[in-house]
Amino acid sequence: MTEQTIDKATLSETPAPVIHVSPSPHLADQSLTTQRIMLDVVIGLIPVVAMALFVFRLYAVKQLAISIVSCLVAEALFAKMRGRELPLKDCSALVTGIILALSLPGPAPWYVGVIASFVAIGIGKAIFGGIGMNIFNPAMVGRAFVMIAFASALAASGYQDVNSSVDAVTQATPLDTFKQTGAVAPLSALFLGLTNGSLGETSALACLIGGIYLCIRRSASWEIPAGVISAALVLGGIANLADMDSGWTVLHHLFGGSLLFGAFFIATDPCSSPLTPRGKFIFGLGVGGFVMLLRLFSGYPAGVMFAVLLMNSLTPLINRWTIPRPLGAQ
Amino acid sequence: MTAQGKANFFSQAWLVLVLAICFGGLLAGMQILLGPIIETNKINETLERVPVLVFGAAHATELSQSGMEINPLSVGVEKAGKSVRYNVYETKSDGKLAGWVTKSAGQGYADKIEVLIGFDPRMEKITGLFVLDQKETPGLGNKILEDGWRGQFLDKSTAKPLMPVKGKATASNEIDAITGATISSKAVTDIINTAVADLREPLADKAKGK
Amino acid sequence: MADQPTASERFIQGILPENPVFRQLLGLCPALAVTANMKSAVTMTGAVLFVLFCANVITSLIRDLLKPHLRIVVFTLTIATFVTIADRFLAAYLYQMSKTLGPYIPLIIVNCIIICRCEVCASKQSVFVAGADAIGQSIGFGLAVSAIAAVREILGTGNFFDIPVLPAAWPDWVVMILPPGAFLTFGLLIGLVNWFETVKASSQASEVLTPAESEGS
Amino acid sequence: MAATQTKTVTNGTFAHGVHPPEHKEFSEDRPIEVMPSPVKVMLPLLQHVGAPSVPVVKAKDAVAAGDMISKGGAFVSAPLHAPIAGKVLKTAVSTLPNARHVQVVPIKADGEQLEGQALFDDVLGGEWSYEGIAQRDPQEITDAIAAAGIVGLGGAAFPTHVKYTRNDEKPVDTVLINGCECEPFLTPDYRVMLEAPRAVVAGSLLVGRAAGAKTIIIGVENNKPRAVEALREAAAGTGIQIAVLKTKYPQGSEKQLITAVLKRATPLGGLPLDVGVAVSNVGTAAAIARAVLRGKPLTHRVVSVTGAGIREPKNLLVPIGISYRELIDFCGGLKPEAARIVSGGPMMGFAFANLDAPITKGTSGITVLTDADVRKAEETACIRCGRCVDACPMGLVPTKIALAARAKDVDLAQRYHIMGCFECGCCTFTCPASIPLVQLVRTGKAQVIASQRQ
């Protein structure tokens, strides 16, 4: 009897809850966090990783393990050096690690992945002030470093290991074969990804599946791959028309090399790409244009890495050019 | 007014003038002292190489003591309406023509590659190759500097153009390309092929004429 | 003039506290361009030492004759003369090294370290102090370029003064002997120096604070 | 008639915006209840945009319901009327949820009050006839609106007569009646459209006549099909169009509504009048109908008391000046998990703690949020994902403006058109890094204003 009355009294007496006061808005889209965006990228990478594991077997396992572990260790180490909380939960280091591994050739020695990871996280990211402050794509900074440092391991010949038991690795990469001998890989092999190349770049199909998932989830802006692909189509088309005899058609340009992998997973890194939709499209066009220029006129068979880094450096300028016109502005 | 102005000018600048004269004298003295040494250094840089390219590294040192003679020539070649000049060094041992060394250059992967090529007197085979200047990718293209790779060109016949191939060279006119640096390898081979094509006849004629 | 530093102070300061490269950020052109290996770094230091010492001494000798608005002309004249001497000397006796260093020896003329020392020290102080300052600053410069060169040469080629120091299995980090390696090494070393400085400053600050705090309580 | 209906916009919308959870379920099916007459009300002298009103009564004066308490202090101002019969007390000061300290005139209830169904019939119910509206003198309508102290009931509380005063330089060709109610949780407009559609239509016709507009359009979001149905029925034969719009926040913002319905872009820093449009809320339209057709001033309004933190969410017809506490108590009080009390909706409303503050003309609801609604996530670094750019209905770059505000860089902020922001909160809502973007924009605006004063 007493209990009941107490209960009633407390009920009517208590506006007991602690009331917070804060400026509006009071609602937030709770399903959307930085971590969730990064996880989306990981999910989008699943088909690519699966294809890499299928085609390159232990090579892919090795590179993925090395790069992911090194990136996480580097992230923890540099965060500690900077006196920051352990930022591993935002998963950005995981993404950097996977993308880095997928951009390396399978037979690359172990130290390549380790050094690339530390450079990616340390010089590509931590030095600028951590996630969000970096102006270059960390994975590509790491890859560029090892590419110059260990030229022989990452040049066209670094992809090939004649004595390997894994089929793909015994061949030269399709772009290199074409550059050297003019022989053209079958389009179906390029599309499915049964050729040699960087671990993640070979399968156009896997890149498309993962990439389209990312674009639908809006964790990657569709404007960037759209820009890359349209630039590649236009320039590849011109090259194709200029040299009709060459078997390397515009579709080979599209499906060969790391163009699609770069378009969907590397160029779309939000930190180092522009903010506005128009800026993103311009950025994509620039990446695609540079890739094609490098492919057609430079000694490098594939140029996604340099194209992305070049356009990264132009991102602040593009942001400045593409300040959107607000609704109703003159 | 002008006189005063002039006086002012000198009072201001006398130190600069005095220093300029002192330093000028100092530099002139240095030039007289060191000039000849520097000149010799410059000439030696190329000439030191010449005997090695003609006689091979082993013989070059012995021979250099004896009556070796190196005459720099300039050979003009008419090519597609244009005149190209080559710096050629005529090498004589005891008065007898021992071989030719020519300086030649061409576009490499990164920048111009400059080489010295040695030939026998009749221009039939290559007796040596030295890379004077290159800026190829370290670790890849700059392997053209290595003795092992350059050694392949020794005793190659000039009859057929040389060909860099990937993997293992089999035919007599084939050269192993450097793995990962096919372009650099091809550049060097092309430089040699061009030099051979341009100089074979004029130099062989010269040798016969002697 | 009473507050001018003494010769020994000048000497000490040049080495670390006012290190020309890491603290004053002067002479960066050679610090980046000739630090691919130890040999060229040391040769460069020698050339800088020679030019700086001569320029400092001459400037100090004529300091009372200097007209303020003509002083830069005089500095440049003096420096250019000794740079030319150094350049010719190298060409005569270290021909290969002179080729490696290329335009960077003549560029000492516009090296800010030297004109800075002439301006800051030599044109105001005695020959002895100026000489000590030149040596101190040159040692500081030498330490800085050697530090950069050591990192670059060891990582880039596995060698130190062309002598192999790392096992043959060491994969050469070619990037380190290329220009990007210079910028990276330089940037990281400056970061390191600044970090040490911060740590030192904060430990000093806490030492100062502690008695005050205890008084307060 | 048929011709006008084909012109009706369906699924029109503006660019960008967000989709916050609607949460209308708490109160949308609760018919409007009439709040029992309070013992005391407090009428803030400034509860609208513009100059404070000037009291015309003294303490101890006896007033009847509807008597004028204060008169408008300027052209952009509005008078106040007593919602209840009673005695004027001494003027006091109170803090409103928007953190403004204002003078209030308290009235103690005394004598017989209109209550229950009678009050409802007086305010919203009863018969609404459209007859003779087309023949009324426009100036007379505007004067009646001004005299009734009507302000925008959607939340902005801008004095309504100002919008409809004829201006030959900027003629109004279209009157938009805003029934979007895009704020989550809130339902007072929805209930008014359902329960008094003829009042809304009558008010719309009146303002259309007052402004001399050729077209009158009522815009409703497509998540309120029953309201659309009710309005269609009530508007049949009047020439009023019903525009059904896509549900999206902030559809109910003037500029966005104009873009959605008419495809006109209001100039940055301009008013709807600049593009020949006048916009009023459906609640305001109903109040106008009452003022003009029944000669009654604005003394009551419909308020939603809603949210997961309130025991019995309700829609209430309340006298202006009643305290928030009375409303919350009438709705069963707070649940223990209540975490935040917001005056208005959760996107743009003000969180407050002073429950004794009075309801004003602009109060559209009380939303009580729980811990689960309020994101407690820690702010992380901006990764420049650009979602705020995609969300901003004004086409701004919120993250850059916020950055400029943090750096106190007034020039940069203005280069990114900081003053174009109307603080809808879409950017903060959507930001994956939980950066308080709109809050920073507000600081930035203060910096800009301060620098302009210098």
Side-chain angles (χ1 to χ4, degrees):
Chain A
M1 185 197 98
T2 43
E3 264 182 41
Q4 262 184 350
T5 42
I6 288 168
D7 230 312
K8 238 185 176 168
T10 41
L11 264 179
S12 55
E13 287 289 286
T14 45
V18 184
I19 300 301
H20 308 277
V21 178
S22 88
S24 68
H26 309 287
L27 286 187
D29 192 344
Q30 311 210 14
S31 65
L32 198 62
T33 58
T34 306
Q35 182 192 20
R36 175 67 221 198
I37 293 180
M38 293 298 169
L39 276 179
D40 264 343
V41 180
V42 175
I43 295 170
L45 281 165
I46 286 175
V48 186
V49 171
M51 202 64 201
L53 291 173
F54 174 70
V55 176
F56 293 99
R57 316 284 157 125
L58 278 177
Y59 288 109
V61 175
K62 182 187 84 173
Q63 295 295 9
L64 279 165
I66 289 173
S67 294
I68 293 172
V69 169
S70 308
C71 274
L72 294 177
V73 169
E75 178 92 341
L77 182 78
F78 289 116
K80 200 170 156 47
M81 271 173 72
R82 297 169 61 225
R84 298 291 167 90
E85 248 177 83
L86 206 59
L88 295 182
K89 67 166 188 282
D90 70 14
C91 295
S92 65
L94 178 67
V95 169
T96 305
I98 300 177
I99 290 182
L100 181 63
L102 292 178
S103 71
L104 293 176
W110 63 271
Y111 52 78
V112 167
V114 174
I115 292 170
S117 302
F118 275 80
V119 171
I121 301 290
I123 293 173
K125 196 164 83 175
I127 274 189
F128 290 99
I131 183 172
M133 308 303 284
N134 48 312
I135 48 176
F136 294 108
N137 183 321
M140 289 303 103
V141 170
R143 195 185 187 280
F145 185 89
V146 289
M147 170 121 192
I148 304 171
F150 311 111
S152 52
L154 281 110
S157 55
Y159 285 89
Q160 214 176 337
D161 179 1
V162 186
N163 303 319
S164 169
S165 58
V166 174
D167 273 352
V169 178
T170 56
Q171 320 150 10
T173 64
L175 276 171
D176 192 43
T177 315
F178 174 68
K179 199 131 201 145
Q180 303 301 340
T181 66
V184 175
L187 209 51
S188 60
L190 288 179
F191 187 69
L192 290 176
L194 305 170
T195 54
N196 197 358
S198 298
L199 297 176
E201 74 178 27
T202 56
S203 172
L205 179 66
C207 292
L208 278 172
I209 295 172
I212 288 169
Y213 167 79
L214 279 189
C215 291
I216 290 172
R217 286 280 311 167
R218 309 213 315 120
S219 291
S221 316
W222 62 269
E223 292 91 347
I224 294 175
V228 177
I229 293 170
S230 22
L233 283 178
V234 169
L235 292 179
I238 292 172
N240 196 1
L241 288 178
D243 185 6
M244 291 298 270
D245 301 336
S246 149
W248 198 265
T249 66
V250 58
L251 282 181
H252 287 82
H253 272 302
L254 202 57
F255 295 146
S258 47
L259 190 108
L260 287 177
F261 180 64
F264 283 110
F265 297 103
I266 301 176
T268 52
D269 168 31
C271 302
S272 50
S273 60
L275 268 170
T276 61
R278 204 152 56 96
K280 285 171 178 170
F281 190 68
I282 295 173
F283 178 85
L285 283 180
V287 171
F290 272 124
V291 170
M292 293 311 293
L293 286 181
L294 288 167
R295 273 191 190 175
L296 295 171
F297 299 110
S298 89
Y300 290 102
V304 169
M305 177 186 79
F306 289 120
V308 169
L309 290 174
L310 274 167
M311 288 312 291
N312 283 166
S313 65
L314 289 180
T315 296
L317 203 61
I318 297 176
N319 273 339
R320 218 161 212 270
W321 286 338
T322 57
I323 296 178
R325 222 167 47 112
L327 180 69
Q330 306 309 314
Chain B
M1 195 65 198
T2 31
Q4 211 185 345
K6 247 178 205 165
N8 192 28
F9 175 75
F10 279 112
S11 76
Q12 294 273 334
W14 71 267
L15 180 68
V16 179
L17 293 175
V18 169
L19 281 176
I21 290 163
C22 293
F23 288 155
L26 190 61
L27 286 180
M30 286 297 291
Q31 185 58 28
I32 290 165
L33 209 66
L34 298 177
I37 309 178
I38 298 168
E39 274 314 299
T40 342
N41 281 343
K42 274 188 182 162
I43 295 165
N44 283 347
E45 192 194 5
T46 308
L47 289 191
E48 269 175 9
R49 300 286 159 201
V50 171
V52 183
L53 292 177
V54 175
F55 305 106
H59 294 289
T61 31
E62 307 166 19
L63 283 170
S64 59
Q65 313 300 329
S66 65
M68 192 175 70
E69 201 184 324
I70 297 169
N71 300 321
L73 307 170
S74 180
V75 180
V77 183
E78 286 293 329
K79 195 164 74 169
K82 272 197 285 181
S83 161
V84 187
R85 298 208 78 80
Y86 280 89
N87 284 325
V88 177
Y89 302 90
E90 183 190 43
T91 318
K92 284 180 178 169
S93 171
D94 300 324
K96 208 171 117 245
L97 184 64
W100 306 96
V101 170
T102 179
K103 207 183 240 183
S104 186
Q107 183 60 42
Y109 176 71
D111 202 350
K112 223 169 78 167
I113 300 177
E114 207 177 32
V115 297
L116 288 174
I117 316 160
F119 298 105
D120 73 327
R122 294 166 156 271
M123 289 293 290
E124 277 166 353
K125 59 178 183 139
I126 296 166
T127 55
L129 173 70
F130 182 76
V131 180
L132 279 176
D133 201 13
Q134 58 83 31
K135 293 186 175 64
E136 300 304 277
T137 322
L140 284 178
N142 75 347
K143 285 188 183 152
I144 57 172
L145 291 176
E146 285 175 3
D147 292 343
W149 190 76
R150 284 191 289 127
Q152 293 186 79
F153 291 90
L154 278 183
D155 297 327
K156 287 280 181 205
S157 158
T158 57
K160 267 200 268 179
L162 299 173
M163 276 275 290
V165 292
K166 281 188 144 191
K168 208 77 207 130
T170 43
S172 65
N173 71 327
E174 282 180 355
I175 300 285
D176 280 348
I178 299 164
T179 3
T182 328
I183 295 171
S184 303
S185 320
K186 194 163 162 15
V188 174
T189 324
D190 284 347
I191 294 169
I192 297 174
N193 288 337
T194 317
V196 169
D198 289 352
L199 294 171
R200 210 157 104 95
E201 289 187 6
L203 290 183
D205 288 350
K206 243 183 194 163
K208 276 177 207 155
K210 290 267 156 142
Chain C
M1 286 291 153
D3 53 348
Q4 292 281 5
T6 63
S8 62
E9 275 170 8
R10 283 291 194 199
F11 178 76
I12 302 276
Q13 275 180 355
I15 297 176
L16 282 178
E18 283 180 20
N19 185 296
V21 176
F22 288 141
R23 305 300 306 159
Q24 304 179 60
L25 300 187
L26 295 176
L28 299 188
C29 165
L32 294 171
V34 300
T35 50
N37 57 60
M38 285 301 289
K39 270 193 180 160
S40 38
V42 170
T43 317
M44 190 65 181
T45 308
V48 168
L49 171 66
F50 169 73
V51 175
L52 182 52
F53 187 79
C54 296
N56 254 12
V57 167
I58 300 265
T59 308
S60 178
L61 283 173
I62 59 170
R63 67 186 188 278
D64 295 333
L65 305 171
L66 281 176
K67 300 273 188 301
H69 57 284
L70 288 176
R71 69 187 197 288
I72 302 289
V73 179
V74 173
F75 294 162
T76 316
L77 200 64
T78 319
I79 296 165
T81 306
F82 290 107
V83 167
T84 313
I85 292 171
D87 184 41
R88 299 284 83 192
F89 191 83
L90 281 178
Y93 298 108
L94 287 166
Y95 186 69
Q96 276 312 316
M97 185 50 79
S98 146
K99 268 188 77 181
T100 316
L101 295 179
Y104 296 105
I105 293 288
L107 277 176
I108 300 178
I109 297 173
V110 287
N111 188 326
C112 340
I113 298 177
I114 297 165
I115 214 155
C116 160
R117 294 332 293 176
C118 287
E119 171 75 12
V120 169
C121 171
S123 64
K124 299 191 177 109
Q125 293 187 280
S126 71
V127 177
F128 181 60
V129 180
D133 181 68
I135 296 170
Q137 292 286 337
S138 302
I139 294 176
F141 177 79
L143 284 176
V145 290
S146 308
I148 301 174
V151 173
R152 291 181 65 191
E153 191 180 355
I154 293 175
L155 290 183
T157 64
N159 297 350
F160 187 65
F161 275 109
D162 290 349
I163 302 157
V165 289
L166 292 176
W170 175 256
D172 294 346
W173 298 22
V174 180
V175 67
M176 297 310 285
I177 53 175
L178 295 176
F183 283 99
L184 278 179
T185 315
F186 179 62
L188 292 174
L189 284 177
I190 281 208
L192 200 65
V193 169
N194 282 343
W195 182 67
F196 271 124
E197 207 66 18
T198 323
V199 169
K200 212 169 77 181
S202 66
S203 72
Q204 272 170 359
S206 62
E207 274 166 36
V208 174
L209 262 180
T210 329
E213 275 168 2
S214 57
E215 261 173 52
S217 61
Chain D
M1 177 67 225
T4 47
Q5 270 200 341
T6 49
K7 270 165 74 185
T8 305
V9 180
T10 37
N11 272 341
T13 193
F14 59 97
H16 307 307
V18 293
H19 296 277
E22 291 168 26
H23 286 318
K24 305 269 189 192
E25 71 277 7
F26 290 105
S27 57
E28 64 182 342
D29 294 329
R30 304 278 180 143
I32 299 171
E33 262 181 68
V34 180
M35 184 80 190
S37 193
V39 288
K40 185 181 136 187
V41 294
M42 294 195 294
L43 297 173
L45 290 176
L46 181 59
Q47 41 181 299
H48 48 259
V49 175
S53 55
V54 182
V56 294
V57 293
K58 299 182 303 293
K60 293 176 189 162
D61 281 2
V63 288
D67 280 2
M68 191 192 272
I69 298 297
S70 65
K71 61 178 195 322
F75 178 59
V76 184
S77 184
L80 277 175
H81 302 86
I84 52 172
K87 229 163 91 182
V88 177
L89 302 179
K90 234 179 100 191
T91 313
V93 170
S94 178
T95 306
L96 298 184
N98 63 8
R100 265 197 159 159
H101 301 286
V102 292
Q103 283 215 307
V104 295
V105 178
I107 300 171
K108 196 162 176 277
D110 194 10
E112 204 168 313
Q113 311 286 0
L114 201 55
E115 286 202 66
Q117 190 59 40
L119 180 60
F120 182 83
D121 286 344
D122 184 55
V123 179
L124 290 169
E127 197 39 53
W128 298 98
S129 159
Y130 311 149
E131 235 166 273
I133 290 178
Q135 284 75 47
R136 276 176 183 261
D137 176 31
Q139 189 56 45
E140 201 179 281
I141 301 173
T142 317
D143 289 345
I145 292 171
I150 292 173
V151 302
L153 298 189
F158 187 79
T160 304
H161 67 273
V162 180
K163 291 185 195 171
Y164 296 103
T165 301
R166 287 219 183 169
N167 175 345
D168 292 336
E169 277 171 40
K170 292 177 179 171
V172 169
D173 60 52
T174 306
V175 167
L176 271 182
I177 302 299
N178 183 355
C180 289
E181 200 157 59
C182 57
E183 272 274 6
F185 292 99
L186 299 186
T187 55
D189 288 352
Y190 176 67
R191 289 314 308 182
V192 169
M193 287 188 278
L194 270 190
E195 297 183 38
R198 288 186 66 83
V200 174
V201 170
S204 312
L205 290 169
L206 283 166
V207 288
R209 175 69 189 153
K214 290 190 286 289
T215 322
I216 303 168
I217 305 174
I218 305 179
V220 188
E221 283 183 336
N222 61 7
N223 63 345
K224 306 177 185 73
R226 286 174 61 204
V228 173
E229 213 39 57
L231 285 173
R232 281 232 168 98
E233 203 174 296
T238 59
I240 291 179
Q241 301 173 30
I242 315 290
V244 182
L245 305 168
K246 210 176 245 176
T247 306
K248 191 156 79 172
Y249 179 85
Q251 191 78 266
S253 155
E254 273 184 352
K255 289 182 178 181
Q256 275 58 40
L257 185 66
I258 294 170
T259 320
V261 178
L262 300 170
K263 305 279 171 239
R264 294 185 200 171
T266 315
L268 208 55
L271 290 169
L273 209 55
D274 295 326
V275 288
V277 182
V279 184
S280 276
N281 185 268
V282 287
T284 319
I288 289 166
R290 182 184 183 224
V292 180
L293 300 179
R294 294 183 180 169
K296 297 278 175 70
L298 174 60
T299 52
H300 289 73
R301 67 156 300 147
V302 182
V303 170
S304 286
V305 184
T306 178
I310 200 95
R311 282 181 203 277
E312 298 160 32
K314 279 176 181 164
N315 296 299
L316 297 170
L317 180 67
V318 302
I320 286 152
I322 192 171
S323 76
Y324 283 94
R325 185 184 302 281
E326 279 172 87
L327 263 59
I328 291 170
D329 287 346
F330 186 70
C331 293
L334 301 178
K335 286 187 192 166
E337 62 264 36
R340 204 176 281 182
I341 305 174
V342 180
S343 165
M347 294 300 283
M348 286 184 80
F350 302 96
F352 66 106
N354 173 22
L355 293 184
D356 295 318
I359 298 282
T360 63
K361 292 174 180 176
T363 308
S364 49
I366 305 170
T367 311
V368 183
L369 299 171
T370 60
D371 279 331
D373 297 324
V374 182
R375 189 202 272 193
K376 294 161 294 283
E378 213 178 302
E379 181 185 340
T380 56
C382 170
I383 58 161
R384 296 193 281 260
C385 61
R387 286 186 197 233
C388 53
V389 182
D390 291 344
C392 182
M394 291 304 290
L396 308 175
V397 186
T399 177
K400 285 280 180 188
I401 301 178
L403 201 71
R406 272 209 173 125
K408 297 193 171 62
D409 187 340
V410 174
D411 289 339
L412 184 67
Q414 280 176 311
R415 183 139 32 94
Y416 280 94
H417 311 286
I418 182 169
M419 297 316 264
C421 171
F422 67 97
E423 303 175 16
C424 64
C426 287
C427 47
T428 311
F429 171 78
T430 199
C431 180
S434 307
I435 299 170
L437 291 164
V438 71
Q439 292 87 329
L440 284 164
V441 172
R442 286 186 196 121
T443 12
K445 280 184 171 177
Q447 290 161 10
V448 171
I449 291 164
S451 80
Q452 280 166 348
R453 275 212 194 110
Q454 279 174 359

